[in-house]
Amino acid sequence: MNHELNCNQVVTLLTFYIENKLDEKLSHCVREHLNKCKNCQEKYLKLKRILENFSEIQSKINEEEIYDMKQYDTTQYATFKENLSAYVDNELSDNENIKIKKIAISNPLARKDLEEVYAFKQLLHSSFNKTKSNLKQDYAKKTLEKMYLNTQQEKFNPFYKLVGIFFGIISFMILGIITILHF
């Protein structure tokens, strides 16, 4: 690729260039342009600094969140996690339910877990109801189709009935004539 990039193209590609997401040839073209153009080089350095600062801030925030949440990872929380499913399904005694509620109120990790479980349960419930209503419609449709087929099979075409009766009468007549001729 021997095409030279203009400033607008390079500025558009800078983020990808900094994150090493460009293929080799395109990256080479951007690098060549940055070596020639001081304006774009300035923008490149500023953007690189901003992205580095953002990464540092983001990692500090993540570390602080992890540290903050570690204080809530207690034996009480472990008990909460063990009993969470039973709590959601109303399988615990009243005293155990109260203990779980207290932990959920005082512990942000427990509260988050409980909210996620309820959201998941709600999702399963709505998905089940949707599937159930679809099955009802399909079942009703299939039942009606079977009934229609059965009624179609049970009914004989009137033409065939008449033909059968006609052949029956003719057969009896022929048998009658044959028996008369033999006597």
Side-chain angles (χ1 to χ4, degrees):
M1 191 191 267
N2 285 332
H3 304 289
E4 288 196 23
L5 299 174
N6 64 35
C7 291
N8 287 335
Q9 292 170 327
V10 170
V11 169
T12 304
L13 295 171
L14 278 180
T15 307
F16 299 108
Y17 178 74
I18 292 170
E19 295 174 347
N20 293 324
K21 292 185 178 180
L22 297 177
D23 66 12
E24 227 175 280
K25 292 177 183 177
L26 193 55
S27 184
H28 177 71
C29 291
V30 171
R31 195 175 317 113
E32 281 183 8
H33 181 86
L34 290 175
N35 289 336
K36 294 177 186 174
C37 178
K38 297 298 175 191
N39 232 359
C40 288
Q41 191 175 27
E42 256 182 61
K43 289 178 184 178
Y44 164 73
L45 293 173
K46 285 180 183 177
L47 183 61
K48 189 173 179 180
R49 244 179 284 132
I50 289 170
L51 289 175
E52 286 171 354
N53 288 340
F54 177 75
S55 295
E56 286 177 27
I57 292 170
Q58 190 67 35
S59 65
K60 285 179 183 178
I61 290 172
N62 289 341
E63 288 172 10
E64 289 174 7
E65 284 178 359
I66 291 169
Y67 177 75
D68 287 345
M69 290 302 179
K70 280 186 179 180
Q71 69 181 343
Y72 295 109
D73 196 5
T74 62
T75 54
Q76 235 184 2
Y77 176 64
T79 304
F80 172 83
K81 286 192 332 187
E82 289 172 8
N83 293 318
L84 183 57
S85 177
Y87 173 76
V88 170
D89 294 333
N90 294 324
E91 297 172 347
L92 297 177
S93 69
D94 289 341
N95 288 337
E96 291 171 322
N97 275 337
I98 292 171
K99 287 178 186 177
I100 296 297
K101 286 178 185 177
K102 285 181 181 178
I103 294 170
I105 290 169
S106 63
N107 188 324
L109 282 177
R111 192 168 38 255
K112 180 181 170 208
D113 288 347
L114 186 60
E115 289 170 356
E116 288 174 355
V117 167
Y118 275 124
F120 184 69
K121 185 177 179 181
Q122 182 63 35
L123 179 68
L124 286 176
H125 185 67
S126 64
S127 177
F128 172 75
N129 283 337
K130 183 178 179 185
T131 304
K132 189 170 88 174
S133 68
N134 289 345
L135 286 176
K136 279 183 185 177
Q137 292 171 351
D138 288 346
Y139 180 74
K141 184 178 178 184
K142 287 180 182 180
T143 304
L144 290 174
E145 286 174 355
K146 283 183 181 180
M147 287 174 52
Y148 180 73
L149 286 176
N150 287 341
T151 56
Q152 290 297 323
Q153 290 173 353
E154 290 174 5
K155 290 184 180 178
F156 291 110
N157 192 335
F159 174 75
Y160 294 127
K161 283 184 180 180
L162 287 175
V163 169
I165 292 170
F166 177 73
F167 279 119
I169 292 173
I170 298 245
S171 300
F172 282 119
M173 286 174 56
I174 291 175
L175 281 173
I177 293 173
I178 291 175
T179 52
I180 293 176
L181 290 176
H182 278 333
F183 289 115

